[in-house]
Amino acid sequence: MQNDTEKIIDEKVQGTALSLENNSKNTRKLYIESYGCQMNFSDSEIVASILAKEGFNTTQKLEEADLVLVNTCSIREKAEQTVRKRLEKYNAVKRTNPGMKVGVLGCMAERLKSKFLEEEKMVDMVVGPDAYKDLPNLIKEIDEGRNAVNVILSKDETYGDVAPVRLNSNGVSAFVSITRGCDNMCTFCVVPFTRGRERSRDPQSIIDEVNDLWDRGFKEITLLGQNVDSYLWYGGGLKKDFDKATDMQKATSVNFAKLLELVALAQPKMRIRFSTSNPQDMTLDVIDTMAKFDNICKYIHLPVQSGSDRILKEMNRLHTRQEYFTLIDNIKARIPDCAISQDMITGFPTETEEDHQDTLSLMEYVKYDFGFMFAYSERPGTLAARKLEDDVPEAIKKRRLTEIINLQQEHALYRTQQHVGKTEEVLIEGTSKKSDAHWMGRNSQNTVVVFPKEDYKVGQFVNVKINDCTSATLIGEAVSLSKNN
Ligand code: SAH
Ligand code: F3S
């Protein structure tokens, strides 16, 4: 049987076909499917917005599409294989509907570039993550029977001026992208190559988007970036060029702690989440800001990847095990009820049994609320692929993965048990998957809570008394409407 963590991993590589409210004047049909991280789902909303202006309505029926777009993920080999399988399916549909065009977006597009057109003959268009504004031109090309490719990475594209359409939205929570790219160069990671250098979005355009979401009834936003804590706005440009900024630009710059405060103040009732934090970039200011504002959720996704100092160094993670513990201690001292989650990689090149034991003991120290765990997958072009042999046998990677998943499961249960007996504020997101008579929502710590519906409604904040739990879910009953509605 699958455990909860494996289910989470599977969900991460499953695709979702997205659709939105359509414009009756549009005549062409777009089928858009997303794989991988939240940023891809958020980008697909930008793409749908750009194409709505080009006469496309979205459909969830692949067979009736004029244009099929797949927003792809390269993070692990398995993610790429999943996309290849979907391409086979599109190919089968294309045989019965020869007018249908197929475009590949996202990280695989960027990684493989025009090679994609050679490898997958039925693909008509390849578009990297910074080139979506060029889609109208690229679509003209394919309409005229030519293949089209744009994989140019940008210094300043943040799509700050495109109002995303909300695809498959529950109307309650939304993603707001704040940075693009990543400068961290973790040696295992393909993201810096597929998403380019790091740049931040104008805080005013972020606040405008959050205000607009509030006006449209949304109650929760997640600020998104590969590495949100290194957000830095100084008037535009790459993060790495900040040194060249003028004194005035430096004096008026906005860092992540400041941005959090600006957003928390702009909409004091909107719940604010963010993801992802690289430990090396998280400051005490950010933790203090979280502690200061009730509407900033008490949850930090803080990937560590390994508990071994030697492996952390090989991964180019710029902190030690001890520094990570100090950060955890600082978080817990300032925000005692803060939930923390991890990403871990087992079987990174040269990882020994002792390194693996270090990972298990680090997990014992933190006792994470949630975890996303992966076996190392060598990615072409990364520093690890160039410098290190992928020398941990697959069976050992898998065995170590099972061990950390099992330990995480124990810790998750330990953490959910701490909520039992308490009354916590829950934002209702929708009907529970398991029972039509129950609502599903989350508490501030991001733990799923289910409880009988009574007369409560989607989008309401409700105080729920927690009576029971599994390792992944809290089970309770509503006590009252929260004052925050
Ligand atoms: N900062 C990013 C990290 C993206 S990758 C974010 O916003 O989440 C997500 C996770 O995938 C990483 O934290 C890491 O645990 C895992 N990962 C990345 N590259 C990997 C690889 N080559 N093999 C296995 N897992 C990997
Ligand atoms: Fe990848 Fe490390 Fe950036 S995991 S996304 S290079 S913080």
Side-chain angles (χ1 to χ4, degrees), residues 182 184-186 188-189 191-192 226-227 278 305 317:
C182 186
N184 274 343
M185 297 307 255
C186 302
F188 53 81
C189 185
V191 169
Q226 299 301 336
N227 181 21
N278 186 317
Q305 319 296 356
R317 304 286 289 190

Side-chain angles (χ1 to χ4, degrees), residues 32-35 37-54 67 69-73 103-111 125-139 149-154 157-159 161-162 177 180 194-195 199:
I32 183 163
E33 204 167 66
S34 293
Y35 292 84
C37 64
Q38 293 163 334
M39 187 67 94
N40 265 4
F41 284 76
S42 170
D43 282 357
S44 291
E45 298 186 329
I46 294 195
V47 167
S49 167
I50 292 168
L51 291 189
K53 295 198 182 76
E54 299 301 309
L67 176 64
L69 295 179
V70 57
N71 202 344
T72 61
C73 174
V104 179
L105 315 178
C107 287
M108 268 175 98
E110 193 62 49
R111 194 176 84 68
M125 181 170 74
V126 178
V127 192
D130 284 351
Y132 299 145
K133 280 194 191 151
D134 195 28
L135 274 167
N137 298 322
L138 299 169
I139 287 169
V149 179
N150 186 345
V151 288
I152 295 168
L153 287 169
S154 159
E157 182 57 80
T158 60
Y159 301 112
D161 55 341
V162 180
S177 136
R180 296 186 73 83
T194 59
R195 292 203 163 253
R199 59 228 110 108

Side-chain angles (χ1 to χ4, degrees), residues 12 37 75-76 182 188-191 225-227 275-278 301 303 305 317 343-345 372 374-379 382:
K12 277 200 149 183
C37 64
I75 201 78
R76 283 167 292 275
C182 186
F188 53 81
C189 185
V190 78
V191 169
Q226 299 301 336
N227 181 21
S275 191
T276 297
S277 294
N278 186 317
H301 182 48
Q305 319 296 356
R317 304 286 289 190
D343 287 346
M344 292 285 186
I345 297 177
F372 303 92
F374 314 97
Y376 174 67
S377 165
E378 186 178 84
R379 305 314 294 134
T382 57

Side-chain angles (χ1 to χ4, degrees), residues 2-18 31-38 40-41 44 70-73 75-76 78-86 90 168 374 433:
Q2 272 193 327
N3 63 33
D4 290 336
T5 317
E6 282 167 329
K7 269 189 234 143
I8 291 169
I9 293 170
D10 275 357
E11 271 166 28
K12 277 200 149 183
V13 293
Q14 262 168 26
T16 307
L18 304 165
Y31 177 92
I32 183 163
E33 204 167 66
S34 293
Y35 292 84
C37 64
Q38 293 163 334
N40 265 4
F41 284 76
S44 291
V70 57
N71 202 344
T72 61
C73 174
I75 201 78
R76 283 167 292 275
K78 191 176 166 205
E80 292 204 353
Q81 283 163 356
T82 310
V83 169
R84 300 267 188 191
K85 284 217 189 77
R86 283 307 286 164
Y90 305 157
N168 274 13
F374 314 97
K433 273 191 208 135

Side-chain angles (χ1 to χ4, degrees), residues 21-35:
E21 257 178 44
N22 282 319
N23 178 337
S24 58
K25 289 197 192 116
N26 286 347
T27 53
R28 301 175 83 185
K29 292 203 168 73
L30 163 69
Y31 177 92
I32 183 163
E33 204 167 66
S34 293
Y35 292 84

